[in-house]
Amino acid sequence: MVEIMTENKFDYFINGEKNKWEVIIGLEVHAQVLSKSKLFSSSSTKFGAEPNTQVSLVDSALPGMLPVINQFCIEQSIKTGLGLKAKINRHSVFDRKNYFYADLPQGYQISQYKNPIVGEGEVILDMPYGTKKIGIERLHLEQDAGKSIHDMDPENTFVDLNRSGIALMEIVSKPDLRSPEEVNAYVKKLRSIMRYLATCDGNMQEGSLRADVNVSVRKVGDIKYGTRCEIKNVNSIKFMQMAIEYEAKRQVELLEDGKAVDQETRLFDTKKNKTKSMRLKEEAHDYRYFPDPDLLPLEIDKSLIDKLKKTLPELPDEKKDRFMKIYNISAYEANILVSEKEISDYYEEVIKQADKKLAANWIMGDLFAVLNKKNISIARSPVSPKNLSILINLISSEEISGRIAKEVFEIMIEKDDNPKVIVESKGLRQQSDPIELEKIITEILTKNKDKVAQYKNGKEKLFGFFIGQVMKSSGGRANPKLVNEILKSKLK
Ligand code: MN
């Protein structure tokens, strides 16, 4: 039995019959450039249009067509490169990658091969066991292909060329990933960086982010990499993780049986949760890469790179450091709050006038629960940052208890009212008048003389009972701190 083991919380390895193995993973992420028009034509990239309505002569590869580079897509790739702390190559080349497929009317894909636009960079992951640096090998620009539709007709395959020619950034990681969890963190971080930069919307359901996953295994302690398989075009993080687990086990079983792993391209079958062979891995020379004679090499001015550098927003890593330092919140909290720019914006809006720690708790707890339940993003939060900050201030100033605050919050979800108004209209203000409280407490102690006697005889657990009675009788409004003090002095 080959099984995935976690020896402690953090180690990930595969326990075979004979040896312990580790899995080596590298990702080729295809990220669709956020751009209104395609890489070499002015056709729209809008998602969800009728098939073949966003196709120019260039995209359909009619004879005589000539590609014209879209400068905006170049700028988007440079920005992404800068966000990955990568080297921007001022000289790069577009090559033709030749292959035949019905949804590739040109008979080749314009891509970059030996000279990509972006070189080595890095992505920092925050794992439970600390930060880990994942190397970026390169980022190159290329065209997307069209889509073959096999399930519309039993006898025919249809081709939709709307995607044909859309700009993709292929971001190739170094084989630095060691577990499905790291892959999860890596894809999320990459997506977060690109969303901050507004260079890719990261929408996996719409295919804006897909990955080819390279998986190999080796015995723990070995230095040489094993033979890898590439799982093509996986479009969700969950599937990436499942594919890696399956594939790693499969390879370990083969090797322990004395067989070899074939270098091949595989597909992940999302119904059977298995990878299956698609074809033996073609070598690069099979694609007959050569520089596209229709396109000049791309020469980028240093001034353009400098200009784009100045437009970069504060990115998640920097923001996280600032949040921890200035707002005095934990790394865990900061990580979550900066994971999406909208979340960090919301948080910073709330804490303009509210306690920073309480705000973090409320956003990550109660607010996220509501957003998850309603399946909406924080940008569409039913509770405005302004009203949440007022609610938090009512707690800080002890005008309402945490329990009552939750009640008020429930009402705010339905209608984003000022919590002060809700508290007043429902009479929820905390009861902090010592004379009033004393009256209630005396009443309860008189009603429960037997329990008071028991308490005085050493049954101290009953203190909680008295508190509960007071809270009940005050409709949950009694100031717990005061109740505590008064009760203690009365029971002495
Ligand atoms: Mn590619």
Side-chain angles (χ1 to χ4, degrees):
M1 240 295 263
V2 170
E3 58 182 324
I4 306 285
M5 299 284 291
T6 33
E7 193 168 56
N8 62 49
K9 269 200 302 214
F10 310 129
D11 287 347
Y12 182 95
F13 59 85
I14 299 157
N15 210 16
E17 300 268 322
K18 299 168 188 158
N19 290 294
K20 229 182 238 185
W21 303 77
E22 67 174 337
V23 57
I24 312 289
I25 309 150
L27 246 53
E28 295 165 23
V29 169
H30 286 91
Q32 179 175 332
V33 175
L34 196 57
S35 157
K36 289 202 175 102
S37 52
K38 296 183 180 178
L39 184 53
F40 298 113
S41 84
S42 56
S43 313
S44 168
T45 60
K46 206 164 182 295
F47 179 81
E50 282 290 301
N52 297 312
T53 55
Q54 296 174 168
V55 185
S56 72
L57 301 182
V58 174
D59 311 322
S60 55
L62 285 180
M65 60 81 197
L66 280 173
V68 177
I69 190 86
N70 177 344
Q71 172 155 357
F72 183 69
C73 292
I74 303 292
E75 293 180 3
Q76 291 286 67
S77 320
I78 295 172
K79 278 170 91 169
T80 306
L82 293 171
L84 299 174
K85 308 216 171 1
K87 180 172 177 283
I88 309 301
N89 293 325
R90 294 191 37 210
H91 170 88
S92 69
V93 175
F94 285 105
D95 294 282
R96 289 186 180 180
K97 180 181 182 180
N98 299 280
Y99 67 93
F100 172 79
Y101 206 71
D103 57 23
L104 185 78
Q106 284 170 162
Y108 56 85
Q109 176 194 33
I110 304 178
S111 180
Q112 296 189 303
Y113 184 48
K114 287 211 172 106
N115 299 286
I117 185 166
V118 175
E120 292 188 326
E122 65 183 45
V123 169
I124 306 292
L125 306 186
D126 279 287
M127 301 306 295
Y129 37 91
T131 56
K132 177 165 175 177
K133 191 187 286 182
I134 305 299
I136 297 293
E137 180 71 37
R138 58 187 275 158
L139 175 159
H140 67 253
L141 264 170
E142 62 184 28
Q143 302 173 296
D144 204 351
K147 198 168 100 189
S148 299
I149 306 165
H150 303 290
D151 55 3
M152 266 175 72
D153 185 283
E155 320 232 324
N156 297 291
T157 289
F158 294 94
V159 174
D160 174 11
L161 292 180
N162 280 353
R163 291 199 76 93
S164 169
I166 281 182
L168 302 178
M169 297 179 279
E170 180 170 331
I171 302 166
V172 182
S173 83
K174 295 187 185 275
D176 290 345
L177 297 154
R178 291 290 176 276
S179 70
E181 288 72 30
E182 289 186 0
V183 167
N184 174 43
Y186 171 75
V187 175
K188 283 186 177 156
K189 188 62 176 284
L190 199 58
R191 184 171 60 180
S192 166
I193 292 170
M194 292 190 290
R195 282 188 177 167
Y196 267 76
L197 293 165
T199 58
C200 170
D201 66 20
N203 193 331
M204 299 185 93
Q205 286 95 346
E206 296 180 1
S208 310
L209 202 75
R210 294 115 68 187
D212 300 339
V213 186
N214 288 287
V215 179
S216 66
V217 297
R218 70 179 173 196
K219 281 183 213 160
V220 170
D222 278 4
I223 294 163
K224 222 175 136 240
Y225 292 129
T227 305
R228 66 168 200 258
C229 287
E230 179 179 5
I231 310 156
K232 272 278 173 210
N233 222 6
V234 191
N235 63 2
S236 92
I237 295 177
K238 187 92 215 125
F239 290 154
M240 288 176 205
Q241 294 186 291
M242 288 160 74
I244 291 163
E245 282 211 10
Y246 177 84
E247 187 56 25
K249 279 190 201 172
R250 186 187 71 88
Q251 293 182 14
V252 166
E253 267 164 18
L254 276 175
L255 293 169
E256 294 209 333
D257 278 356
K259 295 175 189 147
V261 174
D262 288 327
Q263 189 179 346
E264 58 185 355
T265 303
R266 300 177 70 87
L267 278 181
F268 183 63
D269 183 329
T270 55
K271 293 202 179 76
K272 295 185 184 144
N273 296 336
K274 283 178 174 181
T275 66
K276 59 178 184 204
S277 183
M278 187 166 117
R279 55 173 186 250
L280 283 180
K281 176 74 183 173
E282 59 291 298
E283 292 298 326
H285 63 250
D286 291 334
Y287 286 120
R288 302 280 191 270
Y289 278 100
F290 66 87
D292 191 314
D294 289 341
L295 290 159
L296 289 167
L298 191 62
E299 306 290 342
I300 298 167
D301 275 351
K302 189 174 172 297
S303 63
L304 176 65
I305 300 173
D306 291 340
K307 191 188 96 187
L308 292 171
K309 244 182 215 162
K310 284 187 197 126
T311 69
L312 291 193
E314 180 185 39
L315 290 169
D317 288 337
E318 305 149 25
K319 188 168 283 202
K320 181 189 161 197
D321 288 344
R322 180 168 66 83
F323 275 24
M324 286 172 65
K325 231 197 283 164
I326 300 189
Y327 302 147
N328 205 16
I329 55 176
S330 70
Y332 172 77
E333 292 167 321
N335 246 335
I336 293 175
L337 292 172
V338 306
S339 63
E340 299 270 352
K341 189 175 172 295
E342 287 77 16
I343 298 174
S344 65
D345 287 348
Y346 187 100
Y347 175 68
E348 291 206 286
E349 195 59 38
V350 172
I351 60 169
K352 272 185 189 164
Q353 292 171 50
D355 180 78
K356 294 162 183 71
K357 195 86 191 166
L358 263 179
N361 289 346
W362 271 87
I363 291 172
M364 290 164 53
D366 299 76
L367 185 65
F368 276 8
V370 172
L371 299 179
N372 280 339
K373 209 168 115 199
K374 294 189 183 260
N375 196 20
I376 51 177
S377 75
I378 199 161
R380 294 179 48 222
S381 166
V383 175
S384 67
K386 175 88 193 147
N387 280 339
L388 184 57
S389 76
I390 296 172
L391 180 71
I392 290 167
N393 278 321
L394 288 172
I395 307 168
S396 305
S397 62
E398 293 190 9
E399 282 167 79
I400 59 173
S401 65
R403 220 200 61 148
I404 295 288
K406 289 195 189 287
E407 224 175 278
V408 176
F409 187 73
E410 289 298 317
I411 300 169
M412 290 164 72
I413 296 164
E414 297 312 319
K415 189 163 176 286
D416 192 21
D417 263 341
N418 184 329
K420 269 187 186 157
V421 175
I422 299 173
V423 167
E424 288 313 326
S425 70
K426 306 243 168 197
L428 294 172
R429 187 175 290 284
Q430 184 147 280
Q431 221 168 332
S432 294
D433 178 354
I435 298 168
E436 279 291 310
L437 288 177
E438 208 173 326
K439 232 163 78 187
I440 299 174
I441 290 169
T442 310
E443 210 172 286
I444 280 161
L445 296 182
T446 325
K447 249 196 268 173
N448 296 284
K449 283 209 174 90
D450 51 333
K451 292 211 168 62
V452 173
Q454 285 173 22
Y455 177 84
K456 288 190 171 161
N457 276 328
K459 208 171 169 192
E460 288 182 7
K461 272 199 308 206
L462 281 168
F463 195 76
F465 165 80
F466 297 127
I467 296 257
Q469 290 299 306
V470 178
M471 295 314 279
K472 204 171 142 193
S473 133
S474 69
R477 289 163 51 236
N479 180 328
K481 226 167 86 191
L482 269 177
V483 172
N484 225 299
E485 282 167 20
I486 299 172
L487 251 179
K488 266 192 187 141
S489 75
K490 289 239 165 224
L491 286 169
K492 231 182 233 162

